[in-house]
Amino acid sequence: MTDEIVRLRKAINESDNIVFFGGAGVSTESGIPDFRSADGVYNMKYKYPPERIVSHSFFMSNTEDFYEFYREKMLHPDAMPNKAHYALAELEKQGKLKAIITQNVDGLHHKAGSITVYELHGSRSRYYCMDCSKKYSIDAVLEAAGVPRCSCGGIIRPDVVLFEESLDQRVIENSVNAIRAAEVLIIGGTSLNVYPAAGLVQYFNGNMIILINKSETQYDNQANIVIRDAIGETLDAALHGG
């Protein structure tokens, strides 16, 4: 066990007020590609630039093309939680972890058993009709051909935040309050380059920032512990390692 893992374990053991802030790197160990790495979604070759496809204007004007890309590249219905998701759920059950703030839309934190999860960018597990607001599950998209339609005839869309759309204000407020109240902030699997989500870190007033990410971030010099490794293996080692 490395010195950094030992320090991480000590920080976890000594605190009952931890908040976790995570990004796409949390789910790569579940087989879900991230967005901005060399193999990420935004670097995939497609007939439209992926970042344009996942925008509000593209969804409204090219809904069928959006869903073609969405089903092929962004839906991962068989993905399962990994060691990171389960470790965080365990810490919450122990009363140590007060909240998970995630930029991911895969719903794996909930699937692992976590309760207090603030999903900044929504969830691919939830869908609704744009006309009557009727709620649907992911099956509505998986079973439909082309654009999924509500029983009223309206278009069903994923409950995710597309480019050009604002984050949910209630989710933002809950996230800010959790970070402000935290004693320890663990940041994992995120480059901290996506705003406004990354800006939430500035509200932390606690004692320790722990950063677990394979690449450098702008907050490295502010972190008390920096670990350059897979987050699932890191958290599992801190909780269960010898």
Side-chain angles (χ1 to χ4, degrees):
M1 186 181 297
T2 66
D3 291 343
E4 288 81 6
I5 298 292
V6 171
R7 293 177 64 202
L8 171 60
R9 171 182 281 190
K10 185 174 185 291
I12 290 172
N13 288 340
E14 293 179 352
S15 179
D16 290 323
N17 191 350
I18 303 169
V19 166
F20 178 82
F21 180 93
V26 176
S27 293
T28 53
E29 292 169 70
S30 293
I32 298 177
D34 62 14
F35 290 88
R36 288 173 169 77
S37 70
D39 298 320
V41 172
Y42 292 159
N43 287 311
M44 293 177 179
K45 299 299 181 183
Y46 211 72
K47 56 185 176 181
Y48 300 100
E51 289 190 70
R52 179 183 165 202
I53 295 174
V54 292
S55 67
H56 174 83
S57 55
F58 189 91
F59 176 84
M60 298 301 294
S61 61
N62 301 75
T63 312
E64 191 162 351
D65 287 317
F66 170 89
Y67 267 113
E68 181 182 338
F69 176 84
Y70 183 79
R71 287 190 181 96
E72 182 180 342
K73 303 295 186 183
M74 298 193 69
L75 275 188
H76 305 276
D78 298 324
M80 297 299 294
N82 60 54
K83 291 178 179 179
H85 300 104
Y86 287 121
L88 293 168
E90 181 179 336
L91 287 174
E92 184 181 40
K93 289 185 178 70
Q94 293 174 4
K96 290 182 168 295
L97 186 72
K98 302 307 182 186
I100 293 171
I101 301 164
T102 180
Q103 299 172 79
N104 296 342
V105 295
D106 50 49
L108 292 182
H109 285 296
H110 285 298
K111 191 176 284 189
S114 292
I115 305 299
T116 305
V117 182
Y118 301 129
E119 297 170 313
L120 295 172
H121 298 147
S123 175
R124 288 192 293 251
S125 302
R126 302 188 300 267
Y127 298 81
Y128 64 91
C129 172
M130 296 178 69
D131 288 351
C132 73
S133 300
K134 181 178 178 180
K135 292 178 171 56
Y136 286 88
S137 72
I138 193 173
D139 293 336
V141 173
L142 294 174
E143 296 169 2
V147 178
R149 294 275 179 176
C150 176
S151 54
C152 78
I155 293 173
I156 296 172
R157 68 156 282 175
D159 188 11
V160 299
V161 180
L162 301 173
F163 281 116
E164 305 166 353
E165 296 179 340
S166 299
L167 303 188
D168 184 284
Q169 191 59 37
R170 185 175 60 178
V171 174
I172 288 288
E173 290 173 0
N174 287 337
S175 300
V176 168
N177 290 336
I179 289 175
R180 274 180 171 157
E183 180 181 73
V184 173
L185 178 63
I186 302 176
I187 303 171
T190 173
S191 63
L192 294 172
N193 287 326
V194 179
Y195 285 84
L200 294 175
V201 178
Q202 69 182 324
Y203 293 100
F204 180 67
N205 295 310
N207 300 328
M208 180 173 289
I209 293 178
I210 300 164
L211 210 157
I212 309 167
N213 200 55
K214 289 186 175 180
S215 58
E216 292 182 8
T217 79
Q218 60 179 310
Y219 279 91
D220 283 12
N221 61 352
Q222 298 181 42
N224 302 90
I225 302 172
V226 177
I227 299 174
R228 295 255 184 271
D229 208 343
I231 185 164
E233 296 297 331
T234 297
L235 289 178
D236 186 66
L239 266 66
H240 307 122

Short mmCIF file of all heavy atoms in Angstrom, two decimals, residues 120-141:
data_model
loop_
_atom_site.label_atom_id
_atom_site.label_comp_id
_atom_site.label_asym_id
_atom_site.label_seq_id
_atom_site.Cartn_x
_atom_site.Cartn_y
_atom_site.Cartn_z
N LEU A 120 -25.55 16.46 -11.48
CA LEU A 120 -25.47 17.80 -12.06
C LEU A 120 -25.99 17.85 -13.49
O LEU A 120 -26.57 18.85 -13.91
CB LEU A 120 -24.03 18.30 -12.02
CG LEU A 120 -23.42 18.52 -10.64
CD1 LEU A 120 -21.93 18.83 -10.76
CD2 LEU A 120 -24.13 19.65 -9.90
N HIS A 121 -25.75 16.78 -14.23
CA HIS A 121 -26.12 16.77 -15.65
C HIS A 121 -27.29 15.84 -15.95
O HIS A 121 -27.51 15.47 -17.09
CB HIS A 121 -24.90 16.40 -16.51
CG HIS A 121 -23.78 17.37 -16.37
ND1 HIS A 121 -22.44 17.02 -16.44
CD2 HIS A 121 -23.79 18.72 -16.17
CE1 HIS A 121 -21.69 18.09 -16.29
NE2 HIS A 121 -22.48 19.14 -16.12
N GLY A 122 -28.04 15.47 -14.90
CA GLY A 122 -29.21 14.63 -15.12
C GLY A 122 -28.85 13.15 -15.16
O GLY A 122 -27.79 12.73 -14.70
N SER A 123 -29.75 12.35 -15.74
CA SER A 123 -29.54 10.91 -15.77
C SER A 123 -30.12 10.29 -17.04
O SER A 123 -31.26 10.61 -17.43
CB SER A 123 -30.19 10.25 -14.55
OG SER A 123 -30.10 8.85 -14.63
N ARG A 124 -29.36 9.37 -17.63
CA ARG A 124 -29.86 8.62 -18.78
C ARG A 124 -30.86 7.55 -18.37
O ARG A 124 -31.39 6.86 -19.23
CB ARG A 124 -28.68 7.97 -19.52
CG ARG A 124 -27.81 8.93 -20.28
CD ARG A 124 -26.86 8.22 -21.23
NE ARG A 124 -25.85 7.45 -20.51
CZ ARG A 124 -24.56 7.77 -20.45
NH1 ARG A 124 -24.13 8.86 -21.05
NH2 ARG A 124 -23.71 7.01 -19.81
N SER A 125 -31.10 7.41 -17.09
CA SER A 125 -32.08 6.45 -16.61
C SER A 125 -33.50 7.02 -16.66
O SER A 125 -34.47 6.27 -16.57
CB SER A 125 -31.76 6.02 -15.17
OG SER A 125 -30.47 5.46 -15.09
N ARG A 126 -33.63 8.33 -16.80
CA ARG A 126 -34.93 9.00 -16.75
C ARG A 126 -35.25 9.69 -18.07
O ARG A 126 -34.38 10.28 -18.71
CB ARG A 126 -34.94 10.04 -15.62
CG ARG A 126 -34.64 9.48 -14.24
CD ARG A 126 -34.87 10.55 -13.18
NE ARG A 126 -34.03 11.73 -13.38
CZ ARG A 126 -32.85 11.91 -12.81
NH1 ARG A 126 -32.34 10.99 -12.01
NH2 ARG A 126 -32.16 13.03 -13.03
N TYR A 127 -36.54 9.65 -18.43
CA TYR A 127 -37.01 10.25 -19.68
C TYR A 127 -38.38 10.86 -19.43
O TYR A 127 -39.10 10.46 -18.52
CB TYR A 127 -37.09 9.20 -20.80
CG TYR A 127 -35.73 8.61 -21.11
CD1 TYR A 127 -35.20 7.60 -20.31
CD2 TYR A 127 -34.95 9.10 -22.15
CE1 TYR A 127 -33.93 7.09 -20.55
CE2 TYR A 127 -33.69 8.59 -22.39
CZ TYR A 127 -33.18 7.59 -21.58
OH TYR A 127 -31.93 7.10 -21.81
N TYR A 128 -38.75 11.84 -20.27
CA TYR A 128 -40.07 12.44 -20.11
C TYR A 128 -40.55 12.98 -21.45
O TYR A 128 -39.77 13.29 -22.36
CB TYR A 128 -40.03 13.56 -19.07
CG TYR A 128 -39.16 14.74 -19.43
CD1 TYR A 128 -39.68 15.83 -20.12
CD2 TYR A 128 -37.80 14.77 -19.10
CE1 TYR A 128 -38.89 16.92 -20.45
CE2 TYR A 128 -37.00 15.85 -19.44
CZ TYR A 128 -37.56 16.93 -20.10
OH TYR A 128 -36.75 17.99 -20.45
N CYS A 129 -41.87 13.12 -21.56
CA CYS A 129 -42.48 13.66 -22.77
C CYS A 129 -42.36 15.18 -22.75
O CYS A 129 -42.68 15.83 -21.73
CB CYS A 129 -43.94 13.24 -22.86
SG CYS A 129 -44.84 14.05 -24.20
N MET A 130 -41.94 15.75 -23.84
CA MET A 130 -41.76 17.20 -23.91
C MET A 130 -43.10 17.94 -23.98
O MET A 130 -43.14 19.15 -23.75
CB MET A 130 -40.90 17.55 -25.12
CG MET A 130 -39.48 17.01 -25.02
SD MET A 130 -38.47 17.39 -26.47
CE MET A 130 -38.29 19.17 -26.31
N ASP A 131 -44.18 17.23 -24.29
CA ASP A 131 -45.49 17.86 -24.38
C ASP A 131 -46.30 17.74 -23.10
O ASP A 131 -46.80 18.73 -22.57
CB ASP A 131 -46.30 17.27 -25.54
CG ASP A 131 -45.77 17.71 -26.90
OD1 ASP A 131 -44.90 18.61 -26.94
OD2 ASP A 131 -46.21 17.15 -27.92
N CYS A 132 -46.41 16.51 -22.57
CA CYS A 132 -47.29 16.30 -21.40
C CYS A 132 -46.52 15.98 -20.12
O CYS A 132 -47.14 15.82 -19.06
CB CYS A 132 -48.30 15.19 -21.69
SG CYS A 132 -47.59 13.51 -21.71
N SER A 133 -45.20 15.86 -20.21
CA SER A 133 -44.32 15.61 -19.06
C SER A 133 -44.45 14.21 -18.48
O SER A 133 -43.91 13.95 -17.40
CB SER A 133 -44.55 16.65 -17.94
OG SER A 133 -44.31 17.95 -18.41
N LYS A 134 -45.14 13.31 -19.15
CA LYS A 134 -45.24 11.92 -18.67
C LYS A 134 -43.84 11.33 -18.57
O LYS A 134 -43.01 11.52 -19.45
CB LYS A 134 -46.10 11.09 -19.60
CG LYS A 134 -46.26 9.64 -19.16
CD LYS A 134 -47.17 8.86 -20.12
CE LYS A 134 -47.30 7.40 -19.71
NZ LYS A 134 -48.18 6.64 -20.64
N LYS A 135 -43.58 10.60 -17.49
CA LYS A 135 -42.25 10.04 -17.26
C LYS A 135 -42.13 8.65 -17.87
O LYS A 135 -43.08 7.86 -17.89
CB LYS A 135 -41.95 9.99 -15.76
CG LYS A 135 -41.78 11.37 -15.13
CD LYS A 135 -41.53 11.28 -13.65
CE LYS A 135 -41.15 12.63 -13.06
NZ LYS A 135 -42.14 13.68 -13.32
N TYR A 136 -40.90 8.35 -18.35
CA TYR A 136 -40.61 7.06 -18.96
C TYR A 136 -39.28 6.53 -18.45
O TYR A 136 -38.43 7.30 -17.96
CB TYR A 136 -40.54 7.19 -20.49
CG TYR A 136 -41.89 7.37 -21.16
CD1 TYR A 136 -42.44 8.64 -21.33
CD2 TYR A 136 -42.60 6.26 -21.62
CE1 TYR A 136 -43.67 8.81 -21.94
CE2 TYR A 136 -43.84 6.42 -22.24
CZ TYR A 136 -44.37 7.69 -22.39
OH TYR A 136 -45.59 7.84 -22.99
N SER A 137 -39.08 5.23 -18.60
CA SER A 137 -37.80 4.61 -18.28
C SER A 137 -36.98 4.48 -19.55
O SER A 137 -37.44 4.80 -20.65
CB SER A 137 -38.02 3.22 -17.66
OG SER A 137 -38.46 2.31 -18.66
N ILE A 138 -35.78 3.97 -19.39
CA ILE A 138 -34.88 3.79 -20.53
C ILE A 138 -35.45 2.85 -21.58
O ILE A 138 -35.12 2.92 -22.76
CB ILE A 138 -33.50 3.30 -20.04
CG1 ILE A 138 -32.45 3.42 -21.15
CG2 ILE A 138 -33.59 1.87 -19.51
CD1 ILE A 138 -31.05 3.11 -20.67
N ASP A 139 -36.37 1.97 -21.16
CA ASP A 139 -36.97 1.02 -22.10
C ASP A 139 -37.70 1.73 -23.24
O ASP A 139 -37.78 1.20 -24.35
CB ASP A 139 -37.95 0.09 -21.37
CG ASP A 139 -37.23 -0.84 -20.41
OD1 ASP A 139 -36.02 -1.09 -20.61
OD2 ASP A 139 -37.86 -1.32 -19.46
N ALA A 140 -38.24 2.91 -22.97
CA ALA A 140 -38.96 3.65 -24.00
C ALA A 140 -38.05 3.99 -25.17
O ALA A 140 -38.49 4.03 -26.33
CB ALA A 140 -39.56 4.92 -23.41
N VAL A 141 -36.76 4.22 -24.88
CA VAL A 141 -35.80 4.54 -25.93
C VAL A 141 -35.25 3.27 -26.57
O VAL A 141 -35.09 3.18 -27.79
CB VAL A 141 -34.64 5.39 -25.35
CG1 VAL A 141 -33.55 5.61 -26.38
CG2 VAL A 141 -35.18 6.72 -24.86
#
